[in-house]
């Protein structure tokens, strides 16, 4: 950090191929230095996130972003600045909607439906990722190829395509719930 002057920094905890997490107290020390502006938490642990938020809460120019959708709403309620998840590669507008509405009392039934959809569809979206996300985006009209440098993912086959096509239909049902 001393060799990069005042360049703002962010940290993305490495989820694979090996787990590397930043301890809450250490993150707090880094953030108090003023240069760390962003942190993507991949701990999958709401208590860990709460401790990180406790150690960084006095800093207004910092945001913790949670990668784990199972407790996305709880993370936002605790003070996370947002979400940084694989699901955002499929439905960025849905993640934005959740971040904007998680605490709207009039929309709690819809918030719960979105949270549950993201939980229920997690395995589909993570399987053969990132090729699965690229397939999904291509089906939505984005000009993207299904190449990846990763070699450790599951095979992308007809079953995966069928699951992703069903995901698209399930999402359309969820959109009708949200939009009404």
């Amino acid at each position: 950090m001393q060799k990069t002057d005042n360049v703002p920094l962010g940290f993305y905890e490495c989820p694979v191929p090996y787990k590397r997490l930043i301890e809450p107290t250490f993150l707090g020390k880094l953030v108090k230095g003023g240069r760390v502006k962003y942190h993507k938490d991949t701990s999958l642990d709401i208590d860990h996130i709460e401790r990180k938020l406790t150690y960084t809460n006095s800093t207004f120019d910092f945001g913790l972003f949670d990668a784990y959708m199972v407790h996305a709403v709880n993370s936002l309620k605790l003070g996370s600045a947002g979400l940084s998840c694989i699901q955002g590669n499929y439905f960025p507008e849905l993640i934005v909607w959740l971040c904007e509405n998680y605490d709207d009392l009039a929309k709690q039934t819809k918030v719960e439906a979105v949270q549950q959809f993201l939980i229920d569809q997690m395995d589909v979206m993570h399987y053969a990722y990132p090729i699965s996300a690229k397939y999904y985006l291509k089906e939505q009209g984005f000009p993207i190829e299904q190449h990846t440098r990763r070699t450790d993912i599951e095979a992308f086959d007809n079953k995966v395509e069928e699951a992703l096509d069903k995901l698209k239909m399930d999402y359309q049902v969820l959109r009708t719930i949200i939009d009404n």
Side-chain angles (χ1 to χ4, degrees):
M1 287 178 69
Q2 293 171 347
K3 294 182 180 185
T4 56
D5 296 323
N6 291 321
V7 176
L9 299 173
F11 293 105
Y12 169 16
E13 294 176 327
C14 182
V16 291
Y18 41 78
K19 196 76 159 171
R20 297 285 190 257
L21 300 178
I22 297 174
E23 287 302 314
T25 54
F26 185 59
L27 181 62
K29 289 176 186 176
L30 292 170
V31 168
K32 286 179 183 158
R35 289 184 52 203
V36 176
K37 309 296 182 190
Y38 170 86
H39 175 68
K40 178 175 178 173
D41 183 277
T42 64
S43 69
L44 313 180
D45 182 343
I46 195 70
D47 294 329
H48 197 77
I49 289 170
E50 186 172 19
R51 288 192 309 275
K52 284 180 178 175
L53 291 167
T54 297
Y55 284 104
T56 60
N57 71 354
S58 63
T59 306
F60 300 107
D61 196 18
F62 167 78
L64 183 144
F65 292 78
D66 193 355
Y68 193 43
M69 292 310 301
V70 170
H71 55 241
V73 171
N74 288 338
S75 179
L76 291 166
K77 286 180 179 180
L78 287 172
S80 290
L83 305 169
S84 185
C85 50
I86 284 174
Q87 292 81 351
N89 292 314
Y90 291 86
F91 313 110
E93 70 286 353
L94 187 60
I95 303 305
V96 169
W97 184 93
L98 189 59
C99 289
E100 290 176 346
N101 294 287
Y102 73 93
D103 61 350
D104 184 334
L105 295 177
K107 295 181 180 177
Q108 285 309 293
T109 301
K110 294 177 183 184
V111 167
E112 290 171 13
V114 169
Q115 174 83 68
Q116 194 60 52
F117 170 82
L118 293 167
I119 292 169
D120 292 345
Q121 302 294 342
M122 189 177 295
D123 289 342
V124 172
M125 289 185 266
H126 278 82
Y127 194 85
Y129 181 85
I131 291 176
S132 55
K134 292 178 179 191
Y135 169 84
Y136 189 87
L137 291 171
K138 190 171 188 171
E139 291 296 304
Q140 302 307 308
F142 288 95
I144 190 169
E145 298 299 321
Q146 290 176 243
H147 302 289
T148 183
R149 63 182 176 215
R150 287 187 61 191
T151 58
D152 62 335
I153 62 172
E154 302 86 358
F156 188 89
D157 56 20
N158 289 342
K159 285 185 180 181
V160 177
E161 284 186 21
E162 290 172 12
L164 291 168
D165 292 343
K166 183 178 180 319
L167 173 68
K168 180 181 176 182
M169 290 186 296
D170 292 346
Y171 177 64
Q172 291 169 346
V173 170
L174 178 66
R175 283 304 321 181
T176 61
I177 292 168
I178 295 170
D179 294 339
N180 290 321

